Amino acid sequence: MDHGTVIEATKAVVTLDIALPGIIWGWMITLNMWAKSIGTGVVLVGAFLLHRHKKEEMPNLRWLMPLISFIALNIFLFFTLIDLHQPLRMINIFLHPHWTSAITVGAWMASLFTGLIMLMAVIGAFDAFPDFRRHCSIAKSVRAKSSLYEKVFPFVVFLALPVTMYTAIIMAQSSARELWVGAPELIQMLLAAFMVGSASLILISEKWSAEVKKDLAMILAFSVAFSFTMYMGEYFFSFKAAEVEATLAFVHSGGAYNVQFWFAMVLGFIIPFFIAKGSMTNYNPTLMRFAAVTTLIGLYMAKDVWLKIPQLLPLS
Amino acid sequence: MKLGFLVDLNLCMGCKGCEIACKVENEVPLSSWRLRVKYIDMGTFPDTSRSFTPLRCNHCENAPCERICPVSALHYLDNGIVNIDSARCIGCAGCMMACPYGAIYMDPESNTADKCTYCAHRVESGLMPACVVACPVEANIFGDVEDETSHISRYIMEHRGAVQVRKPEKHTDPKHYYVGGGNQTLNPLAHERIEGYGLFNNITTLDTIGDPNHSILDRFITPIFGGHNDHLTNESFLEFEQGQDENKKEKGGHH
């Protein structure tokens, strides 16, 4: 290091300080958000498809949709739990809830949502495989209450919206990270759910009708296009907050996460957009499966960057 | 009653007595600080100056940490102190993400969030916070900002126009004031951290938040069956240091 360099009069330099905290919320929180988007996204996209098409056109949707959602939600809840420094005290959220916290409200909603999804998954699976445990009394009673699935479903779809979006409020409540603004993050969360929801359903849509598949391509194309536009807006035009400008200037200059951000944009947004747009008129199942996979990977990477870059800035 | 703090940066000489007193009083573990004094150098040689800025929790009236805490571990006391109940904290680190002043840390021994409480336990007994007692130049002034006869209120009135808070644009309404500060000392964006300019240390970043040995499985297993977390304390560090010294002696090194 060249100690002969003069310190400019207009600049101040820190000459003694403590070690600064690094990334506080890391990959587990990224995985948490990503898995939650899948868990709620398949329900939202599934509901849209069921609204537009007959269920016979999507024969496995009734049991696979809640099953995928249930698996994703359990990944989300598991990583939420192990990210805590005192995981066994998670119960305090239910015993001593603090309702101004979006973490509390979200935990309650997500738990209820997971419970209802589990109910749907069990009913859907027993109905899809009528010979499985035919003589089991529990299976019989579940099959007898099969209509509960359709009764619960509208409420689950309604609940999927706030469960998708509450993480944006947590980000907004993280006042120290100015990059995360409530309103755009709410829309980003919703779009992320539609992106990975449609991507997940594309992977199980082999036997679905052509019209349903084209709808899936349309949802994927529009959601990645809107989400990409928002990322570009936030990435280049966040002029009004000094801390945001400082953070983004560091990333723009080729700093940490610059390459990952652009890799995510190409993989998760640009490639799927062009493939999905083409498949809206001429559906190509192989390319669409490829687009679905790149969307899932790209969104994880984009969320990871967006989570970590505001944490690079020293706060004091 | 609304307790507040004022630091006169014109008086502070950077002795770090307050920092040490805080560490001792509150048994703050290694790699963690409730209060720290940051040195900032300004100007071009030979016209340079060094400022010392003690940084601690601002005990905001509109505290983002209190709002985001899912279990009310962070809560207001009647006297305005933003206190923390470590026994209730779940360690989500939401408060660390919310605090605009970077004043909250994850205790590596208890794996719960912790911060300056204005020595609430001492205040309750009618004592001053440890850092106030330790300050040799009385740069730390503590008292009731709602009582206009209190020392702090009079000090604020005497220096009106020169009293500042950190990041007022955040609307957190801090109850921690500075006299003699400037943008270059109070605004983290106005000063740089350049490698090689540190007095005693390089620019360092903590590798982990909380206990560095807390792996995924340990988080579940340790609280039930016990584990390495039980013996990773300041005492174990001192024992390690003593062991190192004994090794040096054996090898004929200086003590």
Side-chain angles (χ1 to χ4, degrees):
Chain A
M1 175 56 65
D2 177 15
H3 288 273
T5 312
V6 291
I7 301 169
E8 291 175 41
T10 52
K11 292 201 175 168
V13 176
V14 177
T15 47
L16 187 63
D17 199 6
I18 59 165
L20 297 168
I23 300 294
I24 297 166
W25 281 352
W27 67 270
M28 284 193 209
I29 301 293
T30 308
L31 193 59
N32 158 322
M33 291 193 289
W34 178 81
K36 181 160 69 70
S37 294
I38 296 174
T40 55
V42 289
V43 172
L44 293 171
V45 176
F48 175 78
L49 296 177
L50 285 167
H51 177 71
R52 278 181 48 89
H53 304 278
K54 291 175 184 167
K55 60 184 176 186
E56 289 76 20
E57 294 179 56
M58 304 160 279
N60 57 1
L61 181 71
R62 191 172 185 270
W63 72 278
L64 270 179
M65 176 187 68
L67 183 67
I68 293 169
S69 177
F70 183 67
I71 293 167
L73 288 168
N74 275 282
I75 293 170
F76 147 67
L77 290 172
F78 177 71
F79 281 95
T80 303
L81 190 66
I82 64 170
D83 188 62
L84 299 179
H85 287 77
Q86 288 287 353
L88 297 175
R89 292 189 193 167
M90 177 75 173
I91 193 74
N92 283 353
I93 287 188
F94 301 99
L95 298 178
H96 307 286
H98 186 218
W99 295 110
T100 64
S101 171
I103 299 173
T104 304
V105 177
W108 279 68
M109 287 193 306
S111 301
L112 176 62
F113 185 73
T114 307
L116 293 172
I117 283 291
M118 188 178 76
L119 178 70
M120 287 175 63
V122 170
I123 294 173
F126 275 122
D127 284 352
F129 302 97
D131 293 333
F132 180 71
R133 300 269 178 182
R134 180 183 286 273
H135 303 294
C136 172
S137 58
I138 296 170
K140 275 183 189 172
S141 61
V142 170
R143 288 189 182 104
K145 291 185 171 58
S146 179
S147 62
L148 200 58
Y149 184 107
E150 275 68 29
K151 287 177 186 164
V152 165
F153 190 48
F155 182 66
V156 168
V157 175
F158 174 76
L159 193 57
L161 290 166
V163 171
T164 300
M165 294 189 289
Y166 83 82
T167 312
I169 309 301
I170 297 175
M171 294 167 96
Q173 286 191 332
S174 300
S175 319
R177 324 290 160 172
E178 289 187 345
L179 183 67
W180 304 333
V181 180
E185 294 304 331
L186 278 172
I187 304 302
Q188 282 286 35
M189 289 289 165
L190 201 56
L191 290 171
F194 278 103
M195 278 172 65
V196 287
S198 55
S200 303
L201 292 181
I202 284 165
L203 296 174
I204 60 159
S205 65
E206 192 179 350
K207 292 175 182 170
W208 294 6
S209 75
E211 291 307 308
V212 176
K213 288 179 180 177
K214 283 179 183 175
D215 268 5
L216 277 174
M218 181 191 71
I219 295 167
L220 183 62
F222 276 102
S223 56
V224 294
F226 289 142
S227 185
F228 179 75
T229 308
M230 289 196 68
Y231 270 123
M232 290 300 104
E234 289 180 280
Y235 192 75
F236 286 114
F237 307 117
S238 296
F239 294 133
K240 295 198 173 176
E243 287 181 10
V244 178
E245 278 208 63
T247 306
L248 291 177
F250 171 70
V251 180
H252 291 171
S253 65
Y257 303 108
N258 180 296
V259 174
Q260 188 182 333
F261 179 78
W262 287 110
F263 204 73
M265 287 300 114
V266 172
L267 207 60
F269 299 82
I270 296 171
I271 291 174
F273 173 75
F274 285 107
I275 294 175
K277 186 179 173 298
S279 284
M280 283 166 64
T281 47
N282 186 17
Y283 194 88
N284 184 323
T286 308
L287 276 178
M288 280 302 288
R289 275 196 289 271
F290 174 72
V293 172
T294 63
T295 302
L296 289 165
I297 297 169
L299 185 78
Y300 178 89
M301 292 171 70
K303 281 195 172 291
D304 194 54
V305 172
W306 214 247
L307 179 75
K308 288 176 180 171
I309 55 176
Q311 299 180 56
L312 300 174
L313 195 70
L315 298 172
S316 55
Chain B
M1 178 184 262
K2 193 74 71 183
L3 293 173
F5 224 108
L6 184 144
V7 181
D8 191 336
L9 298 180
N10 296 317
L11 298 175
C12 180
M13 57 185 188
C15 71
K16 288 178 172 276
C18 52
E19 198 174 305
I20 305 302
C22 173
K23 273 256 184 189
V24 173
E25 175 67 30
N26 296 294
E27 297 180 351
V28 181
L30 295 165
S31 80
S32 308
W33 296 264
R34 291 187 179 199
L35 161 62
R36 72 190 214 247
V37 182
K38 192 162 82 170
Y39 288 18
I40 298 164
D41 287 10
M42 288 168 283
T44 308
F45 182 82
D47 298 319
T48 56
S49 64
R50 173 167 293 159
S51 79
F52 312 104
T53 314
L55 300 167
R56 57 168 81 73
C57 171
N58 284 226
H59 293 266
C60 310
E61 203 163 343
N62 181 23
C65 59
E66 189 274 343
R67 186 167 55 233
I68 202 171
C69 180
V71 294
S72 300
L74 283 149
H75 55 276
Y76 297 109
L77 298 182
D78 290 340
N79 55 17
I81 288 175
V82 179
N83 200 23
I84 185 158
D85 179 356
S86 295
R88 188 178 281 190
C89 175
I90 63 173
C92 68
C95 50
M96 294 178 74
M97 296 298 288
C99 174
Y101 309 105
I104 305 175
Y105 63 94
M106 192 62 67
D107 187 314
E109 288 178 6
S110 67
N111 264 306
T112 56
D114 219 333
K115 68 173 195 69
C116 162
T117 58
Y118 281 170
C119 283
H121 58 290
R122 289 174 61 91
V123 171
E124 198 179 357
S125 310
L127 300 169
M128 281 284 175
C131 54
V132 176
V133 177
C135 183
V137 291
E138 297 185 358
N140 286 309
I141 298 159
F142 178 73
D144 184 2
V145 291
E146 285 185 344
D147 175 6
E148 53 187 46
T149 62
S150 68
H151 186 198
I152 188 170
S153 294
R154 283 187 280 115
Y155 212 91
I156 289 170
M157 281 186 271
E158 280 168 22
H159 294 84
R160 80 186 75 169
V163 179
Q164 289 175 290
V165 294
R166 293 173 63 212
K167 301 185 182 178
E169 73 280 4
K170 297 281 188 183
H171 305 292
T172 53
D173 199 1
K175 289 289 166 280
H176 190 287
Y177 307 92
Y178 291 93
V179 168
N183 184 49
Q184 285 168 320
T185 51
L186 297 179
N187 177 2
L189 295 179
H191 47 250
E192 291 181 290
R193 291 166 195 272
I194 305 172
E195 198 66 81
Y197 282 91
L199 288 174
F200 308 118
N201 58 350
N202 296 323
I203 300 168
T204 46
T205 304
L206 294 174
D207 292 333
T208 52
I209 303 299
D211 182 355
N213 294 300
H214 233 130
S215 66
I216 291 171
L217 284 175
D218 285 347
R219 289 181 185 200
F220 291 95
I221 293 169
T222 304
I224 301 168
F225 299 108
H228 52 239
N229 191 35
D230 295 339
H231 53 82
L232 258 182
T233 61
N234 279 340
E235 280 177 17
S236 65
F237 179 79
L238 291 172
E239 283 164 14
F240 171 78
E241 286 281 278
Q242 283 164 4
Q244 293 287 92
D245 287 346
E246 281 163 16
N247 282 343
K248 276 182 188 172
K249 277 182 196 169
E250 283 170 12
K251 290 172 186 171
H254 293 289
H255 182 54

